[in-house]
Amino acid sequence: MTTTTKDRIALPPKDAQRTNMTCHFCIVGCGYHVYKWDANREGGRAAGQNALGVDFTKQVPPLAITMTKAMTNTITDHSGKRWNIMIVPDKGCSVNSGLSSTRGGKMASYMYAHDGIGKERLKNPRINRGDQWLDTSWDNALAIYAGLTKKILDTDGPSGLLYDCFDHGGAGGGFENTWGTGKLMFSALQTPMVRIHNRPAYNSECHATRDMGVGELNNSYEDAQLSDCIIATGCNPYETQTNYFLNHWLPNLNGGTVEKKKKWFPGEAAAAAKIVIVDPRRSATVAICEQIAGKDNVLHLDIEPGSDTALFNTLLTYVVDQGWHDKDYIAKFTKGFDDAMKVNRMSLEDGSKATGIPVAKIRQAAEWAYKTKASGHRPRTFHAYEKGIIWGNDNYVIQSALVSLVLATQNVGRRGTGVCRMGGHQEGYTRPPYPGDKKIYIDQEVIQGRGLMYTIWGTNPFQTTLNAEEHRRVLGKRAQIVREAMSRARGASVEQMVDVIYDACKNKGGMYVVGINLYPTTLAEEAHMLLPAAHPGEMNLTSMNGERRLRLSEKFMDPPGSAKPDCLIAADIANTLKAMYARDGKADMAKRFEGFDWKTEEDAFNDGFRRAGRPGVGPIDSQGGDTGYLATYALLRKAGNNGVQLPIKRVEGDKMIGTEMAYMDGKFDTKDGKAEFKPAPWNGLPKTVADQKAKHRFWINNGRANEVWQTAYHDQYNSFVRDRYPSAFIEMNPEDARSMGVTAGDVVEVFNDFGSTYAMAYPQKAIKAGQTFMLFGYIRGVAGDVTSPWVDRNVVPYYKGTWASIKRVGSVDDWKQSISFKERRYA
């Protein structure tokens, strides 16, 4: 029986194969079990007749299992044999305890089947000739790719080779793949011309906190159950880290963990946590917290956009003036406090003026989070943050202000505390050191006509970069120069075609564009070559989640066609170049491409993650640290969906012992081990942004929605999502909409000095006048088209700092008839 049955879900038989899978998508990394069995068989309803061990002969109790049609599929392996699969959440995983998000719950549907949602997957390399895409062999594609790469290296040097590449874990990333791509780019090609998937240079999103000695992932998810107060800044965890919020935050907010707190912290006052949410918009998270915790225990600081630094400085000043800071801790474990206070000091009145938050609310937030508890103990406050400040007004300064507040109150290194980014993708970074000596704004290099070849690897800047319209326009123009030259090279050999492409790039201003991805994506509009990649389940992949929990997602099926893991694509490129240089007798260059003799993704894991910090091995930047060698695929398989929290301390028998919380010993990631306060001046908005605010009526806030994962690379083919959002939506204040004659479902143009885009109007009473919220990175209606090119000192964008005008374009009757425009906030 196949899973295409309409009347029921086919159950896995008792002897079905079971493997572990970490959700492909958000940083939470929920654990799932994958069941695979012959498509002609089906398990029985009795508990002893199915692999789930659930008795379906009677009503299954609520929440005893999460199982939907979307969690099933029928796949075909390379031999032609058909299999049923079911991917269901693991109740034994401490991350999600059997909960499933709307994203992870669709993983089975997104695994490749010739007639399924993923049927548009890239199956073989493709090359563009004239006006059509043609499938080709890996040998042919690699000959062109490596041939052009070699010509550029030999003639122009590594700076002619540009890359836009992922640095994360989960689908499209992972330790195997970041190592493979990084070793190719940084050790072999030695190019500094690299940007990261969501920012236009090779940089971090957390430079300041790292410079202060505090890594951005420093606690466990369990600490959210133990906090007295949670301060959530610039994050919307219900929609973007769903099961972390539901499984760990809500039990604390509703009082369900009070007894646990009493057990962990004897003698301390314990109660249900209070939560302070810093967000200009009333998000779904605010609404749900009020329902669960009661409005008296939720404080929404609806801050003026871009004023976070002023808020943190004001809170720090008030805390110090009240004597709530930890003087002994500051003296023993930190440095720079006095110098930072000279710059960061800000009165309640000045802070209120800058942020738009009443003095009483700022004072209340400080009391909830930092005032000594009735038992005489210092409160345990967890500070969570994400894109609202990462992509906010001067990333470095905001984080300096936030972490200074945290250090002053010792809200790091104690259970129930932490100052942590909430995260987007999972993590999975292992690479050689970046070969450049400065941060290079790659988008501007493209726009200004520099660079000859651009490999866009597991990313999509067309939908996600800043100043996207200009970037797309220029890249398209440069790509067309190459396309026209190639179309005239009829009957050319590989060597001749390489010469034609090089001439078009070097002498005529062109750029050769290669995409490496699961799908063609919108990049295919301008690319010349597409290479097919694999994702977890089609390969073995390790990643770590937001509490540094390392797991192995196990391979259980073949990728479509000849698609390969990214690390093995990188190895193929390197080995092809090595052979070319060997034929030329250039032993020194051939040597640079050695060390890619990998047959499997496990070989790449062993070569990178497990060699970091080992004697005699060159420098490797790895989130596994110097003890990554203790992790093996065999041990990770035994660890299952609970894995191990990095860094690994030791191995006892066949169990890896990890680190639940960082900095409990008071030693931080600085040369002298002391955390460093940073001055964080409040400077207002950057001039580029302030000028747009002065000219345009609306703030165009942007971000993710629960139902859509990132660029919708899977979701665009799923009618469940696509029909709900045929275009990026833009939430607007109802009165603002009425004043322009806009109603729900209308198409509006959003425009400013940097570009224009279109969106589907979605009036919401929770949106303030003059403010909007637009879905970020979507396939139709790119919010980045109107984002300014301004970046901070580390070339981190201010995606949130966008102001624009809006006008009604028209309406789509089908949208108005088929799409619900009810309030998206739970009430």
Side-chain angles (χ1 to χ4, degrees):
M1 185 64 63
T2 73
T3 52
T4 56
T5 52
K6 302 294 185 183
D7 64 334
R8 65 188 181 281
I9 294 174
L11 297 173
K14 197 168 180 62
D15 60 352
Q17 171 189 299
R18 190 183 85 170
T19 52
N20 297 310
M21 172 70 72
T22 304
C23 179
H24 292 194
F25 306 121
C26 87
I27 193 169
V28 178
C30 296
Y32 286 76
H33 284 142
V34 180
Y35 294 92
K36 177 183 176 182
W37 69 99
D38 188 296
N40 294 310
R41 298 178 58 215
E42 184 176 354
R45 295 187 180 185
Q49 296 176 341
N50 64 75
L52 302 173
V54 175
D55 185 359
F56 290 98
T57 63
K58 57 185 179 183
Q59 180 66 50
V60 178
L63 302 181
I65 187 172
T66 303
M67 186 174 69
T68 70
K69 185 71 175 174
M71 295 178 179
T72 66
N73 204 344
T74 301
I75 61 173
T76 305
D77 65 22
H78 284 168
S79 72
K81 182 172 176 55
R82 299 172 72 243
W83 303 88
N84 285 341
I85 61 168
M86 175 183 285
I87 305 180
V88 291
D90 178 3
K91 293 182 74 70
C93 178
S94 64
V95 174
N96 56 310
S97 303
L99 294 177
S100 174
S101 73
T102 184
R103 300 173 296 279
K106 299 194 290 278
M107 276 193 293
S109 299
Y110 292 155
M111 302 311 291
Y112 176 75
H114 72 279
D115 57 352
I117 291 171
K119 64 184 178 182
E120 299 300 326
R121 285 277 301 276
L122 290 170
K123 303 171 188 66
N124 296 294
R126 292 182 186 176
I127 54 174
N128 188 280
R129 291 295 176 90
D131 60 352
Q132 60 184 320
W133 283 102
L134 304 172
D135 282 11
T136 190
S137 67
W138 276 99
D139 286 346
N140 180 251
L142 288 167
I144 296 172
Y145 186 98
L148 181 59
T149 299
K150 180 177 181 296
K151 193 171 187 71
I152 293 170
L153 268 181
D154 292 346
T155 310
D156 305 275
S159 291
L161 302 169
L162 275 60
Y163 281 82
D164 181 344
C165 192
F166 56 87
D167 74 338
H168 55 74
F175 289 109
E176 294 80 359
N177 292 331
T178 56
W179 175 248
T181 53
K183 188 174 182 179
L184 173 67
M185 296 184 299
F186 296 162
S187 295
L189 298 173
Q190 299 179 9
T191 177
M193 305 297 287
V194 183
R195 58 158 284 168
I196 291 174
H197 59 280
N198 63 3
R199 46 201 189 274
Y202 205 83
N203 54 14
S204 166
E205 291 179 319
C206 301
H207 283 287
T209 180
R210 293 180 185 181
D211 287 351
M212 298 169 83
V214 182
E216 63 270 24
L217 302 174
N218 50 68
N219 71 0
S220 291
Y221 286 168
E222 189 173 27
D223 287 294
Q225 300 178 20
L226 302 169
S227 303
D228 296 304
C229 181
I230 298 173
I231 295 186
T233 305
C235 58
N236 181 15
Y238 169 68
E239 295 205 67
T240 57
Q241 296 88 20
T242 306
N243 288 333
Y244 179 20
F245 177 74
L246 295 177
N247 201 35
H248 300 279
W249 290 35
L250 288 196
N252 191 358
L253 295 174
N254 69 17
T257 61
V258 171
E259 292 305 313
K260 184 174 186 175
K261 293 182 190 181
K262 290 178 179 178
K263 182 178 178 180
W264 279 52
F265 313 124
E268 288 194 27
K274 295 181 181 295
I275 187 167
V276 179
I277 301 172
V278 184
D279 193 326
R281 137 182 110 116
R282 179 178 168 79
S283 66
T285 298
V286 176
I288 292 171
C289 286
E290 289 179 350
Q291 290 285 328
I292 297 299
K295 290 186 178 181
D296 291 343
N297 297 307
V298 180
L299 184 60
H300 177 206
L301 303 183
D302 50 346
I303 193 169
E304 277 295 303
S307 63
D308 306 84
T309 297
L311 174 63
F312 298 139
N313 284 349
T314 303
L315 288 170
L316 175 61
T317 302
Y318 186 71
V319 164
V320 171
D321 288 348
Q322 297 300 310
W324 295 339
H325 57 309
D326 192 329
K327 300 180 184 68
D328 292 341
Y329 181 81
I330 292 169
K332 187 174 181 180
F333 297 108
T334 75
K335 57 188 176 184
F337 173 73
D338 291 337
D339 288 340
M341 284 305 302
K342 291 175 184 176
V343 175
N344 298 10
R345 180 165 284 280
M346 196 166 195
S347 70
L348 285 170
E349 292 71 25
D350 287 344
S352 176
K353 182 178 179 180
T355 63
I357 301 170
V359 167
K361 279 193 170 186
I362 298 176
R363 185 182 290 115
Q364 184 178 20
E367 291 178 355
W368 280 10
Y370 311 115
K371 185 178 180 180
T372 304
K373 296 196 288 186
S375 60
H377 295 88
R378 190 171 300 283
R380 300 173 185 270
T381 297
F382 167 38
H383 296 76
Y385 66 92
E386 194 36 45
K387 294 296 192 298
I389 65 173
I390 286 175
W391 287 350
N393 177 15
D394 198 328
N395 167 292
Y396 196 92
V397 172
I398 298 176
Q399 289 185 19
S400 297
L402 171 61
V403 179
S404 290
L405 173 62
V406 168
L407 290 173
T409 54
Q410 201 201 340
N411 276 305
V412 65
R414 290 189 299 144
R415 298 312 304 262
T417 72
V419 54
C420 303
R421 65 169 301 180
M422 293 294 286
H425 296 86
Q426 287 165 65
E427 302 279 316
Y429 191 93
T430 297
R431 277 184 175 149
Y434 171 69
D437 58 2
K438 61 182 179 180
K439 297 173 179 68
I440 303 170
Y441 196 158
I442 298 299
D443 288 20
Q444 288 301 316
E445 296 292 308
V446 172
I447 289 170
Q448 293 167 20
R450 292 189 281 271
L452 305 173
M453 181 179 182
Y454 198 8
T455 301
I456 300 176
W457 205 325
T459 69
N460 187 349
F462 279 22
Q463 291 173 221
T464 61
T465 199
L466 70 167
N467 196 23
E469 182 179 283
E470 177 69 1
H471 175 267
R472 199 165 54 242
R473 184 190 68 79
V474 174
L475 185 57
K477 182 178 179 180
R478 296 184 66 187
Q480 184 60 27
I481 293 171
V482 177
R483 185 171 287 111
E484 290 176 0
M486 292 174 66
S487 69
R488 292 193 294 268
R490 303 177 183 91
S493 66
V494 168
E495 293 77 12
Q496 291 170 332
M497 184 59 74
V498 166
D499 288 341
V500 167
I501 295 169
Y502 180 79
D503 177 67
C505 296
K506 177 69 174 179
N507 301 314
K508 299 173 184 175
M511 174 169 269
Y512 188 74
V513 181
V514 179
I516 306 176
N517 218 315
L518 299 177
Y519 293 91
T521 76
T522 51
L523 176 70
E525 298 168 8
E526 309 300 348
H528 307 98
M529 177 184 291
L530 299 173
L531 300 178
H535 63 172
E538 299 166 356
M539 64 173 290
N540 293 299
L541 189 79
T542 54
S543 297
M544 75 174 199
N545 73 348
E547 55 176 349
R548 311 170 319 285
R549 190 175 297 276
L550 174 70
R551 273 84 55 84
L552 172 66
S553 290
E554 299 175 87
K555 178 178 179 177
F556 65 88
M557 64 179 287
D558 294 325
S562 61
K564 300 179 182 183
D566 297 283
C567 56
L568 298 186
I569 295 174
D572 284 348
I573 292 169
N575 289 325
T576 303
L577 282 159
K578 177 185 173 184
M580 287 179 171
Y581 279 114
R583 284 195 299 270
D584 284 357
K586 295 183 178 180
D588 57 333
M589 287 298 293
K591 188 174 180 60
R592 277 171 47 176
F593 296 91
E594 290 180 350
F596 288 88
D597 300 323
W598 308 328
K599 303 301 180 186
T600 67
E601 48 272 31
E602 185 175 5
D603 293 337
F605 180 77
N606 291 337
D607 187 55
F609 186 89
R610 298 194 65 234
R611 291 175 69 240
R614 303 307 294 151
V617 175
I620 296 174
D621 298 330
S622 175
Q623 288 176 312
D626 293 348
T627 58
Y629 73 94
L630 294 171
T632 66
Y633 268 28
L635 288 175
L636 287 168
R637 284 192 178 95
K638 289 182 179 179
N641 284 318
N642 284 318
V644 62
Q645 287 179 270
L646 298 174
I648 302 170
K649 296 178 179 178
R650 62 188 180 278
V651 176
E652 296 179 357
D654 60 359
K655 184 177 181 180
M656 297 171 288
I657 308 300
T659 303
E660 293 180 341
M661 171 162 272
Y663 315 121
M664 292 189 73
D665 58 0
K667 295 180 181 178
F668 293 90
D669 301 332
T670 55
K671 289 182 179 179
D672 62 5
K674 289 191 172 186
E676 183 175 1
F677 285 86
K678 288 281 186 184
W682 163 239
N683 297 319
L685 295 175
K687 184 178 186 304
T688 302
V689 175
D691 288 348
Q692 293 302 292
K693 182 179 181 181
K695 290 179 66 174
H696 300 284
R697 176 180 175 185
F698 294 101
W699 177 47
I700 312 298
N701 189 7
N702 53 79
R704 281 170 47 197
N706 191 17
E707 304 91 325
V708 183
W709 173 245
Q710 300 297 55
T711 58
Y713 56 91
H714 285 308
D715 293 331
Q716 64 184 304
Y717 301 109
N718 184 354
S719 61
F720 179 79
V721 178
R722 186 189 62 244
D723 292 351
R724 177 76 178 92
Y725 301 124
S727 170
F729 62 79
I730 185 165
E731 295 181 346
M732 303 177 64
N733 175 272
E735 290 302 320
D736 284 343
R738 272 191 284 273
S739 72
M740 296 184 291
V742 172
T743 59
D746 280 350
V747 178
V748 296
E749 181 183 4
V750 183
F751 61 96
N752 61 14
D753 293 358
F754 301 105
S756 72
T757 189
Y758 294 84
M760 178 178 70
Y762 202 140
Q764 294 274 278
K765 62 184 180 183
I767 300 297
K768 289 183 179 180
Q771 297 189 4
T772 67
F773 179 83
M774 185 172 176
L775 183 62
F776 176 82
Y778 204 54
I779 46 173
R780 296 184 184 87
V782 176
D785 284 354
V786 291
T787 302
S788 83
W790 186 89
V791 293
D792 76 355
R793 71 198 73 184
N794 292 304
V795 199
V796 176
Y798 187 7
Y799 286 110
K800 304 291 185 177
T802 301
W803 272 264
S805 295
I806 296 175
K807 72 173 183 179
R808 182 180 184 275
V809 173
S811 63
V812 179
D813 290 341
D814 182 55
W815 293 1
K816 291 178 178 288
Q817 294 170 7
S818 62
I819 298 173
S820 169
F821 292 96
K822 291 182 178 179
E823 284 284 332
R824 297 187 67 253
R825 288 143 188 83
Y826 177 83

